[in-house]
Amino acid sequence: MKKLMAANWKMYKTWDEARDTAEALVKLTAPALSDDREVLVFPPFTALKGVADIVAGQKGFFVGGQDFYSAEEGAFTGEISPGMLEDAGASYGLTGHSERRHILGEDDAYIGQKTAYGLANGLNVILCVGEKIEERKGGSVEAVLERQIRAGVKDVPTDIAPNRLSIAYEPVWAIGTGEVAGPREIEDAHAFVRKILISVFGKKANEMRILYGGSVKPANCSEIIALDNVDGVLVGGASLDGESFSQIALA
Ligand code: PGA
């Protein structure tokens, strides 16, 4: 299974900044990227097509949309469809990111609907899950992960190709805080995610990628990526700089 090294630029970067970052990333990364690695960038929508054009033709590079709506087109002010993302060069979509759950108020059912819709309409989807600090302290990490995953994949056909659906385990308390989860915490959570995926999709869930996200940096990436059941990373802050994310992608 190829490791997926994903950059989530969130609501950062003008077009000029996005172009400079994407160009630096390709220049530093493409010549050294091994065959068992893939690089995925989630730019803001305004830079998606431009970044897709920059990475086009670079082996192992992909672009994705940070969000999408579950309809093809229509009177949905402010929304964007999987087809529009694909038209701009995206092949991935993100669902369930903690900022969409906890700032924008998206619930499990809506995230499940989007995940299934994106997959049915041509996007590969990364479904993000993760517990808040009070949930970890209260001993409910597994209950939260199980609820988020089961609801998130509820309408995904069980015959889905395993490379099309990934899970990103992102403990909310580790996102943007500099506080990375410990190796034991990551391995335990990823093993549990794998167990739930197998219970839903059967053995082929062993070929679904499980990414870790939360304060991944060049200094900690090689240790994290070597852990059991860690098939990639989803990086926010440290992906905003081309050189920093290149070090992560090649770690
Ligand atoms: P971070 O963000 O790397 O800045 O912690 C991760 C994410 O939100 O995906």
Side-chain angles (χ1 to χ4, degrees):
M1 199 156 36
K2 295 185 181 193
K3 304 244 191 218
L4 183 58
M5 316 304 276
N8 176 11
W9 288 353
K10 307 190 181 184
M11 199 176 76
Y12 290 100
K13 297 194 184 295
T14 61
W15 162 239
D16 282 351
E17 291 164 349
R19 182 197 55 221
D20 290 353
T21 310
E23 283 176 356
L25 177 65
V26 166
K27 185 166 164 249
L28 295 167
T29 315
L33 192 68
S34 61
D35 282 344
D36 61 355
R37 289 281 167 101
E38 291 180 338
V39 175
L40 168 60
V41 182
F42 290 100
F45 294 140
T46 47
L48 204 149
K49 181 158 174 43
V51 172
D53 287 346
I54 290 168
V55 309
Q58 299 291 341
K59 195 163 159 278
F61 279 71
F62 303 90
V63 168
Q66 294 175 22
D67 189 30
F68 55 87
Y69 188 66
S70 49
E72 189 183 332
E73 60 179 11
F76 303 109
T77 300
E79 296 297 332
I80 192 159
S81 71
M84 290 167 171
L85 295 177
E86 287 156 35
D87 182 52
S91 50
Y92 279 81
L94 205 57
T95 59
H97 191 277
S98 82
E99 285 143 23
R100 298 215 62 90
R101 290 179 190 269
H102 304 304
I103 303 174
L104 283 307
E106 294 189 5
D107 64 14
D108 285 333
Y110 180 58
I111 292 162
Q113 180 188 325
K114 269 205 284 198
T115 303
Y117 188 86
L119 287 166
N121 287 275
L123 291 176
N124 300 322
V125 173
I126 301 178
L127 166 66
C128 305
V129 298
E131 82 286 357
K132 296 193 216 164
I133 191 63
E134 57 270 25
E135 293 166 332
R136 174 162 286 273
K137 285 187 176 151
S140 57
V141 174
E142 294 193 348
V144 170
L145 296 182
E146 180 160 8
R147 192 199 75 228
Q148 291 178 341
I149 295 169
R150 289 200 189 278
V153 305
K154 189 173 146 289
D155 295 322
V156 175
T158 48
D159 63 354
I160 189 85
N163 60 336
R164 300 204 47 222
L165 174 67
S166 307
I167 302 289
Y169 169 62
E170 300 202 298
V172 178
W173 47 273
I175 296 179
T177 58
E179 192 182 345
V180 68
R184 186 68 202 276
E185 291 167 324
I186 297 176
E187 283 192 335
D188 285 354
H190 281 229
F192 184 74
V193 170
R194 182 79 68 202
K195 191 172 114 188
I196 300 299
L197 287 175
I198 289 171
S199 81
V200 177
F201 296 101
K203 269 204 211 121
K204 73 163 179 215
N206 285 314
E207 293 157 58
M208 288 176 170
R209 291 188 281 205
I210 305 174
L211 278 51
Y212 169 78
S215 298
V216 175
K217 303 202 162 20
N220 60 24
C221 185
S222 47
E223 186 196 354
I224 291 170
I225 200 77
L227 297 172
D228 276 357
N229 283 306
V230 176
D231 309 307
V233 288
L234 179 56
V235 187
S239 77
L240 294 172
D241 177 76
E243 191 179 343
S244 156
F245 188 60
S246 178
Q247 285 171 24
I248 289 172
L250 299 174

